[in-house]
């Protein structure tokens, strides 16, 4: 194979290039990886019911999200330590997303300074929104400092991850004995900030610092940025998120990396959309490998879709160029699928386009 033409091609080539330990960390899942696999197959189980003879002139995939217009309803999901895949890491993936006019979410555990990523992305006039993903730190002063840095650098929203108070049981990592190599670190956090296990309480004391609704209230009090909650899987939590002032929710099972046997996000999305009832945007990630997957998510009520692992596959293959190709493939496939389903704009998408596979 000389040139990848699908996301699956990028995945195969990336695995050939990468160290086994880095591959296990970036692409492995929790326990038996049931949720990891189901995230992909759940989109495939949904079949499309296209309409024909509909006007398509002037069609587009634009969408406004939190006051910003995106050329396509896609963002790059937050992913840690991207320099494991490619030396330029988040520099390359953020630049590719910006050039494509798509949104980008930088992880708290990025391996490149958040200010540098922001400068690169902001150099592209047609870029999409730039958001900062946040893990609440036990030290509120450190959290406040991260938020202040993100605001000063020009990030436009905070994405608070709420579904990972402790790390999942990731067998692939343990089998390879994965450790971060020299030179790769969470450079936006002080050295030694990670908490050591072994203390009293649940999970060696780590669960003492799990985020709560009170923490969300505090966070809202120290920032002017909108806050989206990432990791919402239950409709009751979606309702509570809106009641507590979240500006959006992201349906996510952490890519199958935390709690195994959670349902796929395609299965979880409709109930969350119903619970939110249009009050705030609902986004979704997990298992997206085709433009048709994006179309299905939008038809189920998502405002936009975050793409994770495929971006890292492209990054490992060819840096920013590889990421741009992955994103271009998804966008092109989305446009093709919309035209073939008789949908001129995203507003034409709805549940009537879908049926479960028998």
């Amino acid at each position: 194979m000389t040139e990848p033409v699908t996301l699956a091609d990028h995945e195969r080539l990336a695995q050939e290039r990468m160290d086994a330990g880095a591959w296990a960390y970036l692409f492995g899942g929790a326990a038996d990886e049931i949720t990891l696999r189901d995230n992909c197959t759940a989109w495939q189980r949904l079949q499309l019911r296209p309409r024909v003879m509909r006007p398509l002139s002037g069609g587009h995939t634009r969408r406004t999200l939190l006051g910003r217009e995106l050329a396509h309803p896609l963002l790059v999901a937050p992913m840690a330590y991207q320099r494991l895949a490619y030396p330029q890491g988040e520099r390359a993936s953020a630049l590719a997303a910006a050039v494509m006019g798509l949104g980008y979410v930088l992880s708290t555990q990025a391996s490149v300074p958040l200010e540098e990523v922001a400068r690169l992305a902001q150099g592209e006039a047609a870029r999409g929104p730039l958001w900062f993903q946040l893990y609440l730190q036990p030290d509120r002063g450190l959290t406040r400092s991260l938020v202040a840095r993100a605001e000063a650098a020009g990030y436009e929203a905070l994405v608070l991850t709420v579904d990972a108070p402790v790390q999942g049981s990731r067998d692939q990592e343990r089998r390879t004995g994965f450790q971060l190599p020299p030179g790769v670190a969470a450079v936006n956090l002080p050295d030694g900030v990670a908490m050591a296990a072994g203390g009293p309480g649940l999970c060696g004391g780590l669960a003492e610092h799990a985020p709560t609704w009170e923490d969300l209230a505090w966070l809202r009090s120290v920032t002017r940025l909108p806050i989206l909650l990432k990791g919402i899987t239950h409709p009751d939590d979606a309702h509570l998120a809106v009641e507590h002032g979240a500006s959006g929710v992201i349906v996510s099972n952490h890519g199958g990396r935390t709690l195994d046997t959670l349902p796929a996000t395609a299965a979880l999305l409709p109930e969350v959309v119903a619970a939110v009832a249009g009050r705030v945007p609902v986004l979704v990630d997990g298992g997206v490998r085709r433009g048709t997957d994006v179309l299905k998510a939008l038809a189920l009520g998502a405002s936009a879709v975050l793409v994770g692992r495929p971006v890292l596959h492209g990054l490992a293959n060819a840096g920013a160029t590889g990421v741009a190709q992955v994103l271009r493939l998804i966008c092109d496939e989305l446009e093709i699928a919309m035209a073939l389903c008789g949908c001129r704009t995203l507003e034409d998408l709805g549940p009537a386009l879908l049926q479960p596979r028998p």
Side-chain angles (χ1 to χ4, degrees):
M1 184 188 302
T2 58
E3 186 75 19
V5 297
T6 68
L7 269 59
D9 293 340
H10 274 282
E11 181 173 3
R12 285 190 291 270
L13 291 172
Q15 189 164 18
E16 292 173 4
R17 286 169 164 78
M18 289 186 62
D19 169 79
W23 181 269
Y25 175 78
L26 291 175
F27 303 115
D32 296 310
E33 300 188 338
I34 293 167
T35 297
L36 175 63
R37 293 189 296 273
D38 283 353
N39 271 350
C40 293
T41 58
W43 298 116
Q44 297 165 9
R45 287 194 296 266
L46 288 172
Q47 296 181 308
L48 293 170
R49 296 292 305 275
R51 300 296 303 276
V52 297
M53 303 291 286
R54 289 187 165 187
L56 298 176
S57 177
H60 62 80
T61 60
R62 293 190 298 274
R63 168 142 291 174
T64 300
L65 187 63
L66 298 183
R68 286 291 308 277
E69 185 174 87
L70 290 81
H72 294 82
L74 287 172
L75 300 92
V76 173
M79 294 170 286
Y81 304 121
Q82 293 184 29
R83 291 186 61 221
L84 290 170
Y86 187 77
Q88 294 300 310
E90 291 85 356
R91 297 181 186 93
S93 58
L95 183 59
V99 168
M100 293 291 297
L102 306 180
Y104 189 86
V105 189
L106 184 74
S107 170
T108 289
Q109 295 177 307
S111 49
V112 173
L114 64 89
E115 292 85 358
E116 186 175 342
V117 172
R119 284 195 296 271
L120 281 169
Q122 290 161 355
E124 294 295 326
R127 69 174 177 86
L130 181 64
W131 298 349
F132 183 71
Q133 178 268 339
L134 181 67
Y135 286 110
L136 286 178
Q137 304 298 313
D139 179 355
R140 279 191 170 180
L142 175 54
T143 299
R144 189 193 292 262
S145 173
L146 280 171
V147 170
R149 287 175 61 191
E151 289 184 354
Y155 289 83
E156 300 158 53
L158 299 177
V159 175
L160 178 64
T161 293
V162 296
D163 65 341
V166 300
Q167 181 173 293
S169 178
R170 300 205 284 264
D171 298 344
Q172 278 203 56
E173 286 180 42
R174 296 204 300 273
R175 289 192 186 101
T176 62
F178 171 75
Q179 292 184 333
L180 286 173
V184 177
V187 297
N188 294 298
L189 296 172
D191 291 341
V193 74
M195 296 169 289
L202 187 64
C203 298
L206 294 179
E208 296 295 320
H209 305 289
T212 66
W213 298 113
E214 289 73 20
D215 290 317
L216 175 59
W218 172 80
L219 183 61
R220 290 182 63 214
S221 75
V222 299
T223 184
R224 57 179 175 76
L225 299 179
I227 302 169
L228 299 92
L229 300 191
K230 180 177 181 292
I232 298 297
T233 60
H234 197 288
D236 290 351
D237 286 334
H239 179 75
L240 286 168
V242 177
E243 292 297 308
H244 284 83
S247 298
V249 300
I250 301 175
V251 178
S252 175
N253 52 33
H254 218 95
R257 291 171 59 83
T258 52
L259 180 63
D260 200 19
T261 71
L262 266 171
T265 50
L268 296 165
L269 178 59
E271 284 191 342
V272 173
V273 169
V276 168
R279 293 174 289 173
V280 299
V282 177
L283 289 76
V284 66
D285 67 16
V288 172
R289 298 295 183 272
R290 287 282 186 182
T292 47
D293 298 340
V294 177
L295 184 147
K296 292 169 186 177
L298 300 171
L300 290 173
S303 299
V305 175
L306 295 97
V307 181
R309 288 178 174 92
V311 168
L312 297 185
H313 296 149
L315 183 65
N317 289 332
T321 301
V323 173
Q325 186 186 30
V326 162
L327 297 173
R328 182 74 263 168
L329 284 169
I330 298 173
C331 291
D332 286 350
E333 290 180 1
L334 172 61
E335 292 186 0
I336 292 167
M338 285 180 60
L340 292 175
C341 284
C343 297
R344 191 177 68 86
T345 70
L346 301 182
E347 281 62 43
D348 296 329
L349 302 176
L353 281 172
L354 307 176
Q355 73 175 28
R357 188 183 299 274

